[in-house]
Amino acid sequence: WGEFLGKELPVGKIVAHEGKLWRVRQQHIAIEEYAPSMSTAALFEVIEKEHSGEADDPIPYNPPMEIFAGKYYSEDGTVYLCTRDSGTVLSHNLKDLINIYVEVV
């Protein structure tokens, strides 16, 4: 993340910050005050590239994150199946989204 300070970040650019991968959602100039975080969910979203989202390899859910129908996600030791695309990044815990976006597996 630090290498991009003062530079323009285009939509779709992926940066690493605090052990997570973040995708740029809105084009902007990177400044320290707007580092990737829950507070900057309009600018960045967490993405996961190491897990397939299959039942035996659920994606660790780390908001702000968009979720996709048919993929499995894990949070706090529980595995969830996404039943419909969120269409945007989510900030709630998955347990609060049961019967809205997910079901417990």
Side-chain angles (χ1 to χ4, degrees), residues 12-99:
K13 177 77 174 171
I14 296 173
V15 299
H17 182 64
E18 296 184 348
K20 297 177 186 172
L21 291 178
W22 300 79
R23 183 176 16 243
V24 176
R25 300 184 68 218
Q26 290 186 40
Q27 184 173 326
H28 66 283
I29 302 293
I31 59 174
E32 197 167 331
E33 292 81 13
Y34 295 120
S37 71
M38 182 67 81
S39 299
T40 58
L43 299 175
F44 300 97
E45 65 181 308
V46 174
I47 62 168
E48 175 60 49
K49 289 189 164 194
E50 294 183 22
H51 298 272
S52 68
E54 299 296 320
D56 62 346
D57 188 26
I59 297 167
Y61 177 72
N62 291 296
M65 180 182 265
E66 185 172 359
I67 61 175
F68 302 93
K71 296 287 185 181
Y72 291 83
Y73 295 85
S74 63
E75 183 180 44
D76 298 330
T78 301
V79 176
Y80 301 86
L81 172 62
C82 181
T83 56
R84 69 181 180 115
D85 292 348
S86 63
T88 190
V89 297
L90 301 173
S91 59
H92 295 78
N93 293 320
L94 291 178
K95 68 181 180 183
D96 298 327
L97 300 174
I98 294 170
N99 297 325

